[in-house]
Structure formats: structure tokens, C-alpha cells
Amino acid sequence: MISHGIFGGYDQGMASLKGMVGESHRKIALSRFGYPGSKLPALPTPQNQARVFAELLDELNIEKTFVLATSAGGAAALSFALTYPERMKGLVLISSDVPSCKMTPEHLKPAGPPSPLLSEFPMWLSTKSLRPVFNVFFGSDVDKVFFQTMLPVKPRRKGIEADANITNLDMDLNYEKYPVEDIKAPILVIHAKDDPMALFDCTEKFIARTHPETVIFESGGHLLSGHQTEVTDAIQQFIQKNA
């Protein structure tokens, strides 16, 4: 089961899962709160999202699963691992946000894309004509498939805004809700040191607290460009080892 990142949805999640785990495993890709096909509740917190993950597994009659989290999907996945340890086979964090340190509201500001990108035409134009800008934003070469799963913007807008104002701030604003050293499931962390979005300094602190398996690249940016084979191999070996 994948907890997708900002600008994502079930479509992006399934594309990511197919690329990372292939056809030999059952794959579950759902839209987090406010993304295509998913309503935005009054309290779209990572903790409530984790509860929905558990309810979905109940609905599908699935006892345990591996959870993969990318980028802004990390908060919900970590909440799920902490709240429902009995449902976890393993946790894979791929360029994922993680808790860094306790911060107060006055030190935090919305963490999301520029507002023009939340409108359909500017976003479409950007994906067609301004790919170098996105490459700088992600620190990676953004491929065509990823761009396709960022559009259309309208059915993702509420989710993007919720991520920018709630999800991406929650782990530092409510640091005490994320005692990640208590996670029982095996953990695999895959990250690039030059990631400009999910900073490696934060990931290093997480690694020191949790002692996970790691695959760390010197470069590759947020989308781990150039390392697809290594990423896929690491995930599949992790699944085989812990299944």
C-alpha cells in the first residue's frame, strides 16, 4: 500500500508501485485526503489518514501489508506504523518527509508549491514549457509519466493545500506524536543526499533514531533520478526478506 506525495493521487501511487514492486505483488493505491476521489474531512491530519488506511485494509480483509511512503506521504505512513503495528509487514520510506525537531507555529510556514501552480492552465503550461524549472524544484529530471500524474490540478487542489498547511508541518509541530524509535516493523529508508525537498539532514536524524536498513545516494534529487534499478532491487529484496 502506498502513501503518495504532494500533487499525487491513486493514479500516481499506482504508477509508482508498478515501477517499484512490479507485477508479482498485490498493490493498493488510494488517494489521500483531498486528492482525486477522496473528500477532505474537517480534520485532515496524518493520524486520521492512518485510521482510514486501517479501515481500508479492514474493508479489503487484509491483515498485514507493507507500506511505502513517498515525500508528503511520510507523515500518514509513520502514524499508521505507530498506531497499527499489528497491520505492518514493513515500512519503506522513499524520499520521505520525517520528523526533524519540535517547532512552534511561529517558526513554521506553509510548505507547498507556489500558488500559481494550483491553477490548471499555469500548471499545464509549466509541465509543457518549463520543465527545467521543475527539474530545479525537485532536484531531479522529471519524466513524462510523473508529469502526467500531476494533472489535472483541480481534483488534487484541496489535497495539495492540506499537505502544505497541515501534513507537511505536522511532524515538527506535533513532534511528540511521532516517537519513531517505537516503530516495531522493519524499516527501509531510500534517499538522496541532494534532495532539495525532503532534506537529508532530517533523514539522518531519523536514521539515528530508528536504525533502519538504508540505501543512500550521493545524488538523484527528490525523484532519485538515475537510480530506478537500485531502488526497485532494494525494495523487492526488502519485501522478500520480511514477507
Side-chain angles (χ1 to χ4, degrees), residues 86-108:
E86 73 281 1
R87 312 301 295 267
M88 296 286 295
K89 287 184 177 181
L91 175 64
V92 182
L93 300 176
I94 308 161
S95 301
S96 174
D97 289 340
V98 292
S100 175
C101 61
K102 176 67 176 179
M103 297 184 71
T104 55
E106 59 268 21
H107 293 113
L108 290 170

Side-chain angles (χ1 to χ4, degrees), residues 32-50:
R32 292 191 292 106
F33 293 145
Y35 284 93
S38 179
K39 294 180 180 179
L40 189 71
L43 294 174
T45 63
Q47 292 73 33
N48 283 338
Q49 183 69 79

Side-chain angles (χ1 to χ4, degrees), residues 78 90-93 180 183 185-189 206 210-214 238:
L78 290 169
L91 175 64
V92 182
L93 300 176
V180 293
I183 293 175
I187 304 172
L188 171 64
V189 172
F206 178 86
T210 59
H211 309 290
E213 293 185 37
T214 60
F238 179 78

